[in-house]
Amino acid sequence: MHRYLVEVKHEHIIANQILRSGTSIGANTAESRNAQSKIDFIHKLSIALKEADETEYWLKMLNSGHYITDRQLQSMMNDNEEIIRILTKIIKTSKSSLVP
């Protein structure tokens, strides 16, 4: 998508923002696998969740700026919402195991 936005739509600023937030989801999720504690694990996944929320914002901005179509937006929003649901569930389950 970044290449499409830059090369076809000539949009650089939001393209870079969504590239950063979108890849940060995966980077923080990967980091969580080597967390030093359950709290660290939750923290890293919480950052990934915040980045997914930010990605949703940038997707909406791309659509409102007519850089992506409603259909493209919906497809990517569906994927992002699934990521948000998964991260939320993992975080909630992990937090519940911390309570004695």
Side-chain angles (χ1 to χ4, degrees):
M1 180 175 64
H2 181 268
R3 184 175 297 139
Y4 165 77
L5 291 169
V6 171
E7 293 177 3
V8 175
K9 295 293 188 170
H10 307 290
E11 163 45 53
H12 297 271
I13 295 171
I14 298 175
N16 289 336
Q17 291 289 349
I18 199 163
L19 176 65
R20 186 192 57 75
S21 65
T23 56
S24 183
I25 298 166
N28 280 288
T29 301
E31 274 190 53
S32 75
R33 290 193 304 256
N34 296 307
Q36 296 176 352
S37 66
K38 179 76 86 168
I39 292 172
D40 188 35
F41 175 78
I42 293 167
H43 177 71
K44 289 184 184 335
L45 288 183
S46 295
I47 294 170
L49 181 58
K50 288 179 183 183
E51 294 294 340
D53 286 338
E54 182 179 337
T55 299
E56 181 177 308
Y57 171 80
W58 292 122
L59 287 170
K60 290 177 181 177
M61 291 298 100
L62 286 168
N63 181 253
S64 67
H66 305 289
Y67 291 105
I68 60 174
T69 65
D70 290 343
R71 185 175 179 191
Q72 290 169 320
L73 172 68
Q74 194 56 55
S75 175
M76 289 182 272
M77 288 289 285
N78 289 343
D79 292 342
N80 197 57
E81 288 168 3
E82 183 66 20
I83 290 168
I84 289 171
R85 280 191 292 277
I86 292 167
L87 289 171
T88 300
K89 179 67 175 169
I90 294 169
I91 291 166
K92 284 183 180 180
T93 301
S94 297
K95 282 181 177 181
S96 71
S97 70
L98 290 176
V99 178

